[in-house]
């Protein structure tokens, strides 16, 4: 039996409570001994990030009879393993090699605690103890003045095992806090070793600097013989997807000099250096226009392994991001693709790329143990984000050092009589959702390419309203919501999303727009947004919506738009500069640029130079592009959602726009969430924001959503 109800008013089994508490934010899997460890975000504990482990050993068949899939919490409350380096953080914990536990002694875990940003050490069942000093108060830091991220276990030439960290230092050293020539606070970042004995907790001089300071550093890697170190650096105004430099320097006395820059530059993004052996280094570079694999040795120099119009990496928004793992001196497990991720084994000496059958279309981590156990974190169009295990079988390899790059057109696609690598079917270890709705209430994505008038296409994923047993009224078309991702250098993969299903199961359509500037489609597509933020992203989003209307998929009079951060900017820009949309929801969105560039965090403080233009030389563009300066052209209601502790897009951005809406008498609502930063982690915040958005859309787009509180709109 099919029930007919207006689009948007369908009763749905998917609730805001499910979005907030029914799922678990999974991340950062690690292989520790015979177990798998990872992090889990706990919304009911203020969104803290806990370190957990499998309850038992995990073998190449999946897991043993000890119910390894059950999570055991290692990091006790209220500790929160989360870094504030760059404000986005990244890798925040690791396990000390050789400390995987002997007898009854648990492994030693080191992590950075969110509240004070100090490095701590802990064994399961104990209370954490600090290892790093507490930085002095620095007003411009807006929080702890010493911050740590991306812990990297290393073994020095004498066999000493230690942990290297990226340190973000707001203290100014011996000269104290000060401003640089451009007026910005002086901040240094460098690789540093924090002693495991706790001596640095009260004595900052016990922290040893490993690399010279740069504005930004990432991905330190020591050679297997302990004699050289490789790392990345970049300076303002570059972002890591614009241009980075790859350094290699000898390591003497535990520290390195400036060394040599062997790859990269202001217009070439180099990512993830990894040593293959004592002489050869692998990395990813977009010198060809796509992030492709390269190798380097002092004797042979830098060589491209193969050239494909595929991405073997992505934007380094968080420190510790990786896209491949070295298997031996000649092979690596790699991720590659365009809109979706593929998994394969790359033989460096021949440029042979063997695809592996894997259902995941988005992979956030891929780890291989010596016995062939693979741990994958990711999602697919039919599976929510989860951690899986599998078995990787490799044909016997020679472990050769990589030769000069081979022409991929002549490289074999497989070795011998069969594939050189085979991945078994996946075994679920831990799902982000134990309350997955009936598949009949979940959306089905359709990837589309919408032609642009000036040539080229814009990429998007369309989700039509869907719930088994429900249909809209005959002759009606559904309202459609455009969701625009943040960044703006970001990407929405084709994976199952419960926030999307929250809308589609109620009879609303959703389209995720990968506008120009998005990653996954090569550097030229990313560069479409250079100098054009607020222009290309707006035009691309409008083009997608017009295409849906012209095809009779969406109701052209009931189009809405929502986005967070840079997606909030695009939302506000679309609302103020076009008449396409009837409503919009901006979550911690950028509303203007002159105040924003002064108030935002250091990592993105010069990002706008590339997105809009240098300041003050192109102040005219900063003024002209800002949605705040075009509120007089706005005629439709707006909902603003904001965290009160957001350092990336401060509350002042939302409040300026709120005040402008009130001055013009435009219906609006502004919800400020206490204790939230850039993105909401608390259960109560997620529930309120989700239900408020649905109520808002119902009031503006003309439907009556079931079972949500009515959001009161203001005019002044």
């Amino acid at each position: 039996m099919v029930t007919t109800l207006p689009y948007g008013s369908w009763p749905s089994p998917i609730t805001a409570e499910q979005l907030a508490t029914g799922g678990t934010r999974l991340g950062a899997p690690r292989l520790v001994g015979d177990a798998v460890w990872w992090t889990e975000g706990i919304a009911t504990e203020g969104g803290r990030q806990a370190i957990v482990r499998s309850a038992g050993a995990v073998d190449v068949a999946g897991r043993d009879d000890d119910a390894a899939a059950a999570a055991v919490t290692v990091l006790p409350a209220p500790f929160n393993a989360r870094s504030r380096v760059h404000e986005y953080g990244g890798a925040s914990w690791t396990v000390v090699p050789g400390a995987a536990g002997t007898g009854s002694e648990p492994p030693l875990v080191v992590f950075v605690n969110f509240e004070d940003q100090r490095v701590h050490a802990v064994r399961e069942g104990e209370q954490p103890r600090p290892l790093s000093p507490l930085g002095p108060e620095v007003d411009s830091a807006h929080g702890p003045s010493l911050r740590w991220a991306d812990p990297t276990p290393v073994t020095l030439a004498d066999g000493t095992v230690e942990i290297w960290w990226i340190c973000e230092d707001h203290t100014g050293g011996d000269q104290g806090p000060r401003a640089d020539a451009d007026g910005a606070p002086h901040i240094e970042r460098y690789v540093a070793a924090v002693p495991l004995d706790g001596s640095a907790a009260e004595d900052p001089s016990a922290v040893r600097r490993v690399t010279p300071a740069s504005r930004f550093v990432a991905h330190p890697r020591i050679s297997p013989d302990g004699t050289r170190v490789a790392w990345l650096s970049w300076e303002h105004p570059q972002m890591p997807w614009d241009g980075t430099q790859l350094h290699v320097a000898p390591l003497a006395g535990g520290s390195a000099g400036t060394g040599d820059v062997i790859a990269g530059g202001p217009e070439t993004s180099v990512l993830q250096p990894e040593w293959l052996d004592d002489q050869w280094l692998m990395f990813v570079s977009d010198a060809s226009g796509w992030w492709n694999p390269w190798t380097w040795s002092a004797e042979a120099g830098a060589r491209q392994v193969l050239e494909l119009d595929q991405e073997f990496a992505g934007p380094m928004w968080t420190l510790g991001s990786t896209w491949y793992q070295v298997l031996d001196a000649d092979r690596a497990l790699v991720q590659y693709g365009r809109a979706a991720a593929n998994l394969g084994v790359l033989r460096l000496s021949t440029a042979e790329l063997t695809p592996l059958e894997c259902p995941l279309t988005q992979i956030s981590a891929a780890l291989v143990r010596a016995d062939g156990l693979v741990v994958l974190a990711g999602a697919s169009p039919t599976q929510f984000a989860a951690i899986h295990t599998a078995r990787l079988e490799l044909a016997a390899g020679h472990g050769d050092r990589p030769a000069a790059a081979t022409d991929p057109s002549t490289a074999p696609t497989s070795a011998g009589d069969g594939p050189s690598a085979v991945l078994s079917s996946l075994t679920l270890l831990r799902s982000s959702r134990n309350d997955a709705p009936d598949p009949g209430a979940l959306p089905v994505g359709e990837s589309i390419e919408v032609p642009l008038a000036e040539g080229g296409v814009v990429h998007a994923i369309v989700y039509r309203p869907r719930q088994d047993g429900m249909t809209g009224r005959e002759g009606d078309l559904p309202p459609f919501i455009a969701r625009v991702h943040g960044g703006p250098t970001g990407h929405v993969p084709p994976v199952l999303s419960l926030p999307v299903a929250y809308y589609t199961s109620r009879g609303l359509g959703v389209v995720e727009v990968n506008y120009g500037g998005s990653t996954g489609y090569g550097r030229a597509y990313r560069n479409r947004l250079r100098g054009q933020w607020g222009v290309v992203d707006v035009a691309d989003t409008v083009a997608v919506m017009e295409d849906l209307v012209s095809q009779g998929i969406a109701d052209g009079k009931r189009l809405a738009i929502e986005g967070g951060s840079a997606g909030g900017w695009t939302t506000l820009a679309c609302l103020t500069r076009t008449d396409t949309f009837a409503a919009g929801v901006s979550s911690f969105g950028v509303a203007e640029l002159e105040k924003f560039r002064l108030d935002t965090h250091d990592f993105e403080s010069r990002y706008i130079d590339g997105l809009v233009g240098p300041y003050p030389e192109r102040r005219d563009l900063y003024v002209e592009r800002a949605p705040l300066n075009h509120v007089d052209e706005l005629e439709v209601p707006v909902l603003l959602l904001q965290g009160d502790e957001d350092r990336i897009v401060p509350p002042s951005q939302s409040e300026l726009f709120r005040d402008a809406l009130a001055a013009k008498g435009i219906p609006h609502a502004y919800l400020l969430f206490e204790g939230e930063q850039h993105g909401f982690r608390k259960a109560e915040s997620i529930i309120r924001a989700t239900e408020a958005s649905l109520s808002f859309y119902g009031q503006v787009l003309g439907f009556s959503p079931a079972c949500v509180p009515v959001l009161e709109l203001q005019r002044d």
Side-chain angles (χ1 to χ4, degrees):
M1 179 178 176
V2 176
T3 301
T4 300
L5 287 173
Y7 288 113
S9 63
W10 301 352
S12 171
I14 302 172
T15 66
E17 286 81 4
Q18 279 183 285
L19 269 65
T21 62
T24 303
R25 191 177 63 254
L26 304 176
R30 299 278 191 276
L31 289 162
V32 181
D34 58 4
V36 179
W37 294 41
W38 62 91
T39 60
E40 294 196 358
I42 307 175
T44 54
E45 295 183 16
R48 84 174 182 100
Q49 187 161 278
I51 301 170
V52 302
R53 63 171 176 82
S54 58
V58 180
D59 61 25
V60 292
R63 58 180 186 262
D64 68 6
D65 293 333
D66 291 332
V72 176
T73 301
V74 176
L75 184 64
F79 290 94
N80 182 358
R82 184 177 161 208
S83 171
R84 281 190 60 180
V85 173
H86 300 177
E87 294 296 345
Y88 291 112
S92 61
W93 68 282
T94 192
V95 176
V96 179
T102 57
S104 60
E105 185 178 53
L108 180 66
V109 182
V110 292
F111 70 97
V112 59
N113 185 46
F114 181 73
E115 183 177 0
D116 58 11
Q117 287 298 288
R118 298 178 77 180
V119 175
H120 289 69
V122 66
R123 294 187 190 274
E124 186 175 342
E126 300 177 357
Q127 284 297 303
R129 56 183 174 87
L131 299 182
S132 67
L134 185 65
E137 290 188 13
V138 176
D139 289 342
S140 62
H142 300 283
S145 60
L146 288 177
R147 305 174 185 188
W148 311 85
D150 194 16
T152 305
V154 301
T155 302
L156 303 180
D158 63 2
T160 300
V161 174
E162 59 185 21
I163 306 296
W164 289 356
W165 295 80
I166 305 296
C167 179
E168 180 177 282
D169 188 344
H170 296 250
T171 67
D174 293 338
Q175 299 182 53
R178 60 192 185 279
D180 288 331
D182 61 0
H186 180 81
I187 301 172
E188 292 183 343
R189 297 176 180 88
Y190 45 84
V191 179
V194 177
L196 294 172
D197 62 7
S199 57
E202 301 298 333
D203 179 12
S205 66
V207 174
R208 186 183 80 252
R209 292 198 185 196
V210 177
T211 66
S214 299
R215 195 68 184 199
F216 304 98
V217 296
H219 218 96
R221 290 295 185 265
I222 192 171
S223 60
D225 62 6
T227 63
R228 289 186 291 179
V229 59
W231 74 97
L232 301 173
S233 75
W234 67 98
E235 301 290 334
H236 282 319
Q238 276 74 38
M239 299 298 287
W241 43 85
D242 295 327
T244 59
Q245 292 184 320
L246 174 54
H247 304 254
V248 173
L251 195 65
S255 297
T258 56
D260 298 317
V261 175
I262 64 167
E267 293 294 324
T268 301
S269 172
V270 174
L271 300 171
Q272 196 186 344
E274 303 283 1
W275 291 96
L276 298 166
D277 57 22
D278 293 338
Q279 303 300 321
W280 286 91
L281 189 70
M282 180 178 174
F283 58 93
V284 179
S285 169
D286 72 350
S288 67
W290 296 79
W291 275 308
N292 278 187
W294 289 58
T295 58
W296 172 90
S297 73
E299 181 178 344
R303 306 287 182 88
Q304 188 166 359
V305 175
L306 80 170
E307 185 173 345
L308 292 177
D309 290 352
Q310 304 274 330
E311 299 282 39
F312 283 73
M316 188 171 60
W317 278 102
T318 58
L319 292 170
S321 299
T322 60
W323 296 271
Y324 70 89
Q325 179 181 333
V326 171
L327 300 176
D328 57 37
D330 191 33
R331 291 179 294 191
L333 179 70
V334 297
Q335 300 174 41
Y336 64 98
R338 291 196 180 188
N342 301 292
L343 202 63
V345 173
L346 175 64
R347 185 179 291 276
L348 301 168
S349 59
T350 63
E352 169 198 344
L353 179 61
T354 302
L356 299 173
E357 289 190 17
C358 179
L360 303 180
T361 53
Q362 182 268 333
I363 300 172
S364 59
L367 309 173
V368 185
R369 202 166 64 189
D371 62 358
L373 175 76
V374 178
V375 177
L376 295 170
S380 79
T382 59
Q383 294 176 299
F384 290 107
I387 298 175
H388 306 267
T389 61
R391 182 177 64 258
L392 178 64
E393 295 182 356
L394 296 172
H398 302 294
D400 300 327
R401 292 177 180 174
T406 302
D407 181 351
S409 65
T410 63
T413 58
S414 62
D417 297 328
S420 59
V422 176
L423 186 72
S424 71
S425 58
L426 304 187
T427 298
L428 178 65
L429 180 66
R430 183 74 164 173
S431 176
S432 64
R433 305 215 67 90
N434 295 320
D435 62 343
D438 185 282
L442 298 177
V444 176
E446 308 166 49
S447 293
I448 63 171
E449 295 181 351
V450 176
L452 298 171
E454 68 274 16
V457 299
V458 56
H459 304 273
I461 307 168
V462 179
Y463 299 93
R464 304 181 192 228
R466 180 173 186 260
Q467 186 186 155
D468 286 354
M470 301 297 303
T471 189
R473 293 185 300 198
E474 185 176 355
D476 284 356
L477 290 174
F480 247 83
I481 301 170
R483 286 168 55 95
V484 285
H485 64 70
T489 309
H491 175 78
V492 180
V495 297
L496 194 57
S497 164
L498 201 62
V500 169
Y502 182 81
Y503 289 139
T504 57
S505 63
R506 287 171 165 77
L508 300 171
V510 173
V511 58
E512 302 262 23
V513 184
N514 282 313
Y515 49 83
S518 301
T519 53
Y521 309 100
R523 187 170 186 119
Y525 195 79
R526 295 203 310 274
N527 285 352
R528 286 186 58 225
L529 203 61
R530 277 198 170 181
Q532 297 297 309
W533 194 34
V535 178
V536 163
D537 48 327
V538 171
D540 283 5
T541 302
V542 169
V544 169
M545 303 311 286
E546 289 179 343
D547 184 71
L548 296 179
V549 172
S550 68
Q551 293 190 52
I553 296 173
D555 184 343
K557 295 182 179 180
R558 295 196 292 169
L559 304 179
I561 183 170
E562 65 179 40
S565 191
W569 158 277
T570 302
T571 294
L572 298 177
C574 283
L575 294 175
T576 55
R577 305 305 294 270
T578 79
D579 58 4
T580 302
F581 299 96
V585 178
S586 170
S587 298
F588 34 89
V590 179
E592 61 82 57
L593 298 178
E594 290 187 282
K595 183 175 175 58
F596 173 74
R597 62 181 294 275
L598 298 175
D599 291 345
T600 192
H601 61 144
D602 183 60
F603 178 63
E604 292 181 273
S605 62
R606 299 289 302 279
Y607 192 10
I608 304 174
D609 286 32
L611 292 173
V612 177
Y615 190 91
E617 295 86 344
R618 293 314 312 267
R619 180 178 180 271
D620 59 320
L621 293 179
Y622 283 59
V623 173
E624 198 278 330
R625 298 272 179 85
L628 181 66
N629 296 330
H630 294 276
V631 174
D632 283 346
E633 302 165 42
L634 179 64
E635 300 292 343
V636 301
V638 182
L639 170 60
L640 303 169
L641 307 174
Q642 178 72 49
D644 73 340
E645 295 180 3
D646 194 338
R647 280 288 305 130
I648 296 170
V649 180
S652 59
Q653 290 287 307
S654 292
E655 289 164 1
L656 285 168
F657 204 83
R658 174 205 60 192
D659 294 345
L661 292 171
K664 193 182 176 187
I666 295 173
H668 67 279
Y670 173 55
L671 302 183
L672 184 66
F673 295 94
E674 183 179 356
E676 293 286 11
Q677 296 88 43
H678 200 62
F680 306 146
R681 292 170 179 260
K682 297 180 180 180
E684 58 270 25
S685 302
I686 297 169
I687 291 170
R688 188 179 180 210
T690 301
E691 294 185 338
S693 298
L694 182 60
S695 174
F696 172 74
Y697 287 138
Q699 293 180 58
V700 179
L701 302 181
F703 62 87
S704 299
C707 303
V708 297
V710 175
L711 175 70
E712 182 179 352
L713 299 182
Q714 306 290 327
R715 285 186 176 273
D716 52 24

